[in-house]
Amino acid sequence: MNYLDELNPPQREAVLHKDGPIMIIAGAGSGKTKVLTTRITHLMAAHKVDSFNILALTFTNKAAAEMKERVEKTLGNTEARNLYIGTFHSVFARILRSEAPKLGYPSSFTIYDTDDAKSVVKTVIQELNLDDKHYKPNIVYNRISAAKNALVGPAEYISDWALQQEDTRANRPAIGQVYDAYAKRCFKNGAMDFDDLLFKMYILLKNFPEALSKYQRKFKYILIDEYQDTNPAQYEIIKLLGAMHENVCVVGDDAQSIYSFRGATIENILQFQKDYEEVKLVKLEQNYRSTKNILHVANVVIANNKAQIEKRLFTSNDEGEKINLVRTMTDNDEGKMVADTIQEQKLRNHYFNKDFAILYRTNAQSRSFEEALRRMGIAYRIYGGMSFYQRKEVKDFIAYLRLVVNPKDEEALKRIINFPARGIGKTTMDKAILYSNEHDCSVWDIVAQAAKYGFRSGTLESLNGFTTMIKMFRSELDKKNAYDLAVIVGKSTGIVKELFNDKTTEGLARYENLQELLNSIKEFTETPMNEEDGEVGDKGLGTYLQQITLLTDADDDKDQNPDVVKLMTIHAAKGLEFPVVFVGGLEETLFPNAMSINTREELEEERRLFYVAITRAKQRLFLSFSNARYRFGQLQQNDPSRFLEEIPEKYLDRSYAGGAMKNTGNHTPAFERMNRGFHNSQGRSSAESEAEKYYGAPPGKTSTPSYIISKTFNKTVEHVPSEGFTASDISNLRAGQKVEHQKFGYGEVTKMEGAAHNPIATVKFDLNGEKKIMLNYAKLRIIE
DNA sequence: GATTATATGGTTTTT
DNA sequence: CCATATAATC
């Protein structure tokens, strides 16, 4: 049992506690994954607990796979494959699949992702004749989602006075009705959305005592990771499942609770202690991940939150470097600074690409980083954003597969009934949907018997052609594995061929995406699975579809180049660690986000998010913010994030000038001057930008480089700098001289103005008109 | 019914 | 800026 030797005292205490509820408060980087895996190992090795009787719920499927692997390695056998381990959603989906008939669902039920669900909400709103100005699918869907996560069903929602009041005040009194219609529609479609996987699981356990007792007996030991991010639905399910043995082990960190928008509540941590008689409490406070500097900063920042469980994180790691704080002029400069710094750090400190992560608050921020990295030829991978499975061509193809598995899936049917074009348009579909509502049957039932419902001539022929094809696929469903069937679908529908014939660049990319999809299906078909999976349609399409819908961003980095810089939101970075971390966009309205500064609770969650970002770093941390950035296609000025002010100056290094940027030009590099601090000096001060928000920039005063402004008002004619372009010494520049600008091309100086320390030249460019150029920032080459 | 032009409006964060 | 929704036109 030498695996116990690697643990510190509290960790060992958590592992050795066998029966009864236990809560582990685990600070960032305190080895909670290690504790969880060792605990599972110990239960199996020392206490002879059968692997079939252990349920472990993690935040990503990847984390689940890693845990499985580690247990397997320590035990030296393959017992670990019998563990029930995965995300809440995927584990429950698997259970619901075998229990679906109890709830009136087909075992082949479809899982709707957010897009599908919103689309259903939208149809329902339209069918109820509600004004979509007030009933925005997004808002309504979120409301329904929140209800489900709180275990509030449609009937209860409608009869709840407080909810009614709230909706009425928001001018949306009929949300309850929409919820009801939406739930019925999903049921009719044989589909569950993400929240249903929890909600229906709860219903199953609550309403079917034999099912409850079956799973209570099965799961003698339950372990839950990232407990701070569980919602009430998850809480109640665990309470039910664990009620028989009460061997529930939860691990969490209240300081890292960042999913309240998904219904998660720290209350669950407090409630846990109330719900069980005697809860063993263990705190893991030694951090093994970060340098002292990084950890101190994290501690200082999080101390500004009022609501927290007391703990003090410490580390015996080295002091480490100070935290670099970098200011840039634009989001593009920020991207460039980060890319340059990565290049520099690789050379100077012998890092690999894979040692770097760039974290940000919103997915939209990835663009500037991506462009800069690509320009520098640095390999990278973006997690999240528009994922592979959300691309149109992929979704279309998958819609076929979904329809084959579950013909009642109206969303899938609507998506592909006329793709590729076969002359079945909107009017026909509207009619079919109308009939389906009248006859209370699925849309598929209508189109499959088109003649009976009065469709004629061309339309009838098209419909029959379509349904015959789908029926043919269905007849193969039980005979062929997922891949073989997918190939047939690709061929018979003509989708693959159509994309193959499209020789445009995008067409080619789409074709490749389809090939990649087919490859992934093939891989799925060829990978052996858990022994227990035999019970649910093994290698069929159904299992495949379930799996991909529940894939997390973190999950699918198969066969990719492993040495890449990773870009992701802070949310997606939870649970991960990197030697060097960049956190970008530390600006007011972005981080903390403007949507989340209205209550103390929201602001504290933003701060926890910042805390999570900081604590991802092992050795080096770079924080950056930008004076201005593009948002909605418009340049927006922002003040530095209030969180930056919470970091004591002694931990900060503001002198960092941004990698190779230091050596461009022969005047003081722009970055250096920008980084002298945001309270004074040449950079835009807080007060200055504050004033400009209200009054606008004074005429003649351009405190941002002119090229930013030009982008806002008119498109720049791109100029490729002449060979060997080097910025000239511009201290003696005067009107009449001919110059070359890196971006605007050739032009003539018409006027000089501005103070000595901040000279501004007006240049009339041949192709881009007259611009005011701040010489401190712009690079000009004097021609004559 | 399909293809193309124009308008609109949307950005937190995710299973 | 970008993606999707609606209108206009064939």
Side-chain angles (χ1 to χ4, degrees):
Chain A
M1 271 186 255
N2 52 4
Y3 53 84
L4 290 178
D5 299 341
E6 298 167 22
L7 304 175
N8 67 28
Q11 287 176 335
R12 192 172 305 131
E13 201 183 338
V15 167
L16 294 179
H17 171 89
K18 182 175 173 256
D19 291 324
I22 171 170
M23 180 156 82
I24 305 165
I25 301 295
S30 62
K32 70 180 165 69
T33 313
K34 189 178 191 176
V35 167
L36 277 175
T37 49
T38 315
R39 189 177 150 79
I40 295 173
T41 309
H42 192 65
L43 284 172
M44 290 166 67
H47 301 302
K48 303 296 172 218
V49 175
D50 191 338
S51 52
F52 285 94
N53 294 330
I54 298 176
L55 168 68
L57 297 167
T58 58
F59 208 70
T60 63
N61 294 302
K62 193 183 171 197
E66 278 171 12
M67 267 166 82
K68 225 176 218 185
E69 203 177 304
R70 278 165 74 167
V71 173
E72 199 158 296
K73 218 171 148 191
T74 323
L75 286 176
N77 60 37
T78 58
E79 267 297 303
R81 73 169 54 163
N82 305 317
L83 293 165
Y84 237 79
I85 180 168
T87 62
F88 276 90
H89 294 266
S90 61
V91 167
F92 295 167
R94 192 171 146 193
I95 293 174
L96 283 171
R97 224 149 227 276
S98 52
E99 307 288 349
K102 283 200 179 69
L103 300 167
Y105 277 86
S107 314
S108 57
F109 70 83
T110 305
I111 298 170
Y112 278 166
D113 65 18
T114 313
D115 290 339
D116 297 320
K118 280 181 187 162
S119 160
V120 176
V121 168
K122 201 175 162 193
T123 0
V124 167
I125 289 172
Q126 277 165 357
E127 287 178 6
L128 287 174
N129 278 321
L130 295 168
D131 175 15
D132 57 4
K133 281 277 178 295
H134 290 295
Y135 293 88
K136 300 242 169 71
N138 243 322
I139 294 171
V140 177
Y141 171 75
N142 286 334
R143 199 105 178 113
I144 294 173
S145 171
K148 285 186 187 172
N149 285 326
L151 297 175
V152 175
E156 197 187 336
Y157 190 104
I158 291 172
S159 60
D160 189 295
W161 187 80
L163 286 172
Q164 282 306 313
Q165 284 292 304
E166 212 177 340
D167 286 343
T168 308
R169 243 179 283 130
N171 258 323
R172 290 183 275 267
I175 288 193
Q177 278 67 39
V178 179
Y179 181 11
D180 189 46
Y182 168 79
K184 291 197 169 108
R185 190 58 155 264
C186 288
F187 183 74
K188 186 177 127 185
N189 293 356
M192 294 194 199
D193 64 19
F194 287 136
D195 305 312
D196 282 331
L197 295 177
L198 307 178
F199 191 48
K200 304 292 183 201
M201 180 73 192
Y202 175 75
I203 301 286
L204 175 77
L205 299 176
K206 196 79 187 164
N207 295 352
F208 297 86
E210 70 286 2
L212 176 63
S213 108
K214 173 179 167 187
Y215 291 103
Q216 279 182 336
R217 270 181 281 121
K218 177 168 173 57
F219 299 131
K220 291 191 175 122
Y221 288 87
I222 300 173
L223 300 94
I224 302 163
D225 197 6
E226 308 284 7
Y227 189 67
Q228 75 282 358
D229 285 320
T230 54
N231 61 38
Q234 291 165 325
Y235 184 87
E236 292 300 331
I237 293 168
I238 293 307
K239 197 173 156 189
L240 285 172
L241 281 177
M244 184 181 279
H245 303 284
E246 295 205 340
N247 293 325
V248 182
C249 167
V250 300
V251 185
D253 178 6
D254 58 301
Q256 296 185 65
S257 165
I258 53 174
Y259 277 94
S260 70
F261 68 92
R262 221 165 73 186
T265 164
I266 317 184
E267 277 295 302
N268 285 357
I269 291 185
L270 308 171
Q271 193 61 37
F272 188 84
Q273 286 167 296
K274 289 183 197 153
D275 270 6
Y276 297 92
E277 284 285 308
E278 256 177 62
V279 178
K280 167 110 185 155
L281 182 70
V282 176
K283 285 187 188 176
L284 306 181
E285 297 175 300
Q286 178 164 11
N287 171 296
Y288 294 95
R289 180 186 292 154
S290 310
T291 64
K292 282 200 175 68
N293 271 324
I294 292 170
L295 195 64
H296 285 160
V297 168
N299 281 338
V300 168
V301 166
I302 201 66
N304 290 296
N305 273 7
K306 283 189 177 163
Q308 48 181 327
I309 294 175
E310 199 185 316
K311 61 183 160 316
R312 51 170 251 291
L313 265 184
F314 64 95
T315 184
S316 54
N317 289 345
D318 289 345
E319 198 80 13
E321 309 276 319
K322 281 187 178 182
I323 279 65
N324 291 285
L325 177 58
V326 190
R327 152 181 251 186
T328 60
M329 288 311 281
T330 68
D331 45 356
N332 292 326
D333 291 341
E334 185 183 40
K336 188 159 172 25
M337 181 279 292
V338 169
D340 284 339
T341 306
I342 288 176
Q343 194 72 285
E344 191 200 20
Q345 287 288 328
K346 276 167 74 172
L347 294 172
R348 189 181 297 222
N349 297 315
H350 308 291
Y351 286 114
F352 296 99
N353 288 333
K354 64 174 161 53
D355 296 325
F356 300 94
I358 304 173
L359 309 181
Y360 34 77
R361 176 70 238 264
T362 66
N363 282 303
Q365 287 167 257
S366 67
R367 186 198 50 87
S368 54
F369 296 114
E370 186 181 6
E371 277 171 16
L373 289 170
R374 194 165 31 208
R375 233 186 306 251
M376 301 271 294
I378 298 170
Y380 64 91
R381 172 158 148 68
I382 299 179
Y383 292 78
M386 171 97 115
S387 87
F388 179 73
Y389 295 99
Q390 285 175 324
R391 290 175 201 189
K392 192 188 169 300
E393 63 275 16
V394 176
K395 274 212 100 168
D396 287 339
F397 193 88
I398 288 175
Y400 270 101
L401 305 182
R402 271 165 53 177
L403 192 66
V404 172
V405 171
N406 174 18
K408 286 159 77 177
D409 186 343
E410 186 181 320
E411 288 304 306
L413 179 69
K414 279 199 283 200
R415 206 181 165 93
I416 42 100
I417 194 161
N418 202 29
F419 176 83
R422 37 175 89 84
I424 307 172
K426 195 173 175 300
T427 2
T428 310
M429 276 311 279
D430 283 349
K431 225 188 274 182
I433 293 170
L434 192 72
Y435 291 163
S436 98
N437 286 339
E438 277 172 10
H439 294 88
D440 196 33
C441 60
S442 69
V443 183
W444 167 259
D445 290 335
I446 302 290
V447 297
Q449 304 172 66
K452 196 176 136 188
Y453 292 97
F455 290 96
R456 271 182 296 277
S457 64
T459 312
L460 180 63
E461 228 168 277
S462 313
L463 287 174
N464 284 341
F466 176 74
T467 51
T468 322
M469 181 176 70
I470 300 294
K471 279 177 192 158
M472 187 269 278
F473 297 153
R474 268 182 77 70
S475 69
E476 300 290 326
L477 192 54
D478 294 325
K479 298 179 214 155
K480 296 224 164 26
N481 67 31
Y483 178 69
D484 293 338
L485 189 49
V487 170
I488 295 177
V489 171
K491 280 210 181 101
S492 324
T493 57
I495 298 184
V496 178
K497 194 182 236 170
E498 181 166 309
L499 287 180
F500 180 75
N501 289 333
D502 184 352
K503 294 297 179 199
T504 59
T505 329
E506 308 89 69
L508 198 68
R510 281 199 290 265
Y511 176 74
E512 280 168 2
N513 283 335
L514 264 200
Q515 290 302 330
E516 198 182 324
L517 178 68
L518 284 168
N519 282 340
S520 98
I521 302 178
K522 189 170 190 182
E523 193 188 319
F524 162 81
T525 319
E526 287 166 0
T527 318
M529 300 179 84
N530 301 348
E531 287 161 20
E532 277 208 7
D533 281 325
E535 73 190 52
V536 269
D538 51 8
K539 291 289 163 195
L541 264 182
T543 319
Y544 172 75
L545 291 175
Q546 174 197 311
Q547 228 178 53
I548 56 166
T549 322
L550 297 176
L551 230 46
T552 341
D553 291 325
D555 294 332
D556 60 336
D557 50 357
K558 43 156 182 30
D559 69 39
Q560 310 255 354
N561 175 8
D563 186 32
V564 292
V565 175
K566 298 184 180 71
L567 285 74
M568 65 186 88
T569 62
I570 301 165
H571 282 92
K574 189 168 82 145
L576 305 176
E577 58 177 32
F578 312 91
V580 186
V581 167
F582 296 87
V583 185
L586 279 155
E587 296 139 39
E588 288 291 311
T589 75
L590 192 60
F591 193 13
N593 195 275
M595 308 291 291
S596 309
I597 49 172
N598 301 313
T599 65
R600 162 151 261 116
E601 288 70 33
E602 284 175 349
L603 186 65
E604 295 206 343
E605 177 147 327
E606 293 286 301
R607 191 178 282 112
R608 289 195 293 271
L609 199 53
F610 187 41
Y611 175 80
V612 169
I614 295 169
T615 53
R616 297 312 93 197
K618 294 164 90 165
Q619 297 155 12
R620 287 184 161 79
L621 177 62
F622 291 83
L623 308 176
S624 59
F625 62 101
S626 177
N627 263 359
R629 71 174 60 237
Y630 281 93
R631 257 177 134 184
F632 295 119
Q634 286 235 299
L635 197 69
Q636 212 185 56
Q637 310 270 3
N638 284 130
D639 289 333
S641 171
R642 66 189 74 183
F643 295 149
L644 293 175
E645 295 164 24
E646 296 173 3
I647 305 175
E649 205 55 42
K650 62 174 175 176
Y651 295 118
L652 291 179
D653 181 354
R654 294 173 185 268
S655 71
Y656 188 76
M661 292 286 282
K662 248 186 272 195
N663 301 319
T664 48
N666 52 5
H667 56 285
T668 320
F671 271 122
E672 221 158 275
R673 271 172 288 113
M674 294 171 201
N675 284 324
R676 274 178 204 150
F678 46 83
H679 300 297
N680 45 35
S681 88
Q682 289 97 330
R684 166 185 292 268
S685 81
S686 230
E688 216 174 11
S689 71
E690 196 61 40
E692 278 183 23
K693 255 190 242 163
Y694 293 103
Y695 305 117
K701 181 203 169 232
T702 48
S703 53
T704 42
S706 60
Y707 66 83
I708 294 173
I709 289 164
S710 75
K711 259 193 193 165
T712 325
F713 298 117
N714 43 44
K715 259 217 147 42
T716 307
V717 179
E718 276 295 324
H719 169 72
V720 182
S722 58
E723 196 141 331
F725 180 97
T726 44
S728 312
D729 181 352
I730 39 71
S731 47
N732 294 317
L733 191 73
R734 53 193 70 225
Q737 285 189 295
K738 294 248 186 352
V739 294
E740 183 191 355
H741 183 281
Q742 232 179 353
K743 281 210 172 75
F744 298 138
Y746 300 99
E748 185 182 334
V749 179
T750 54
K751 197 173 149 201
M752 290 297 301
E753 59 185 309
H757 66 276
N758 189 23
I760 296 163
T762 308
V763 183
K764 194 170 173 352
F765 290 102
D766 298 344
L767 294 172
N768 283 304
E770 209 168 73
K771 309 257 182 220
K772 283 188 188 303
I773 305 285
M774 280 184 96
L775 299 177
N776 283 344
Y777 301 119
K779 295 181 191 74
L780 289 179
R781 180 173 75 93
I782 297 173
I783 300 170
E784 52 176 88

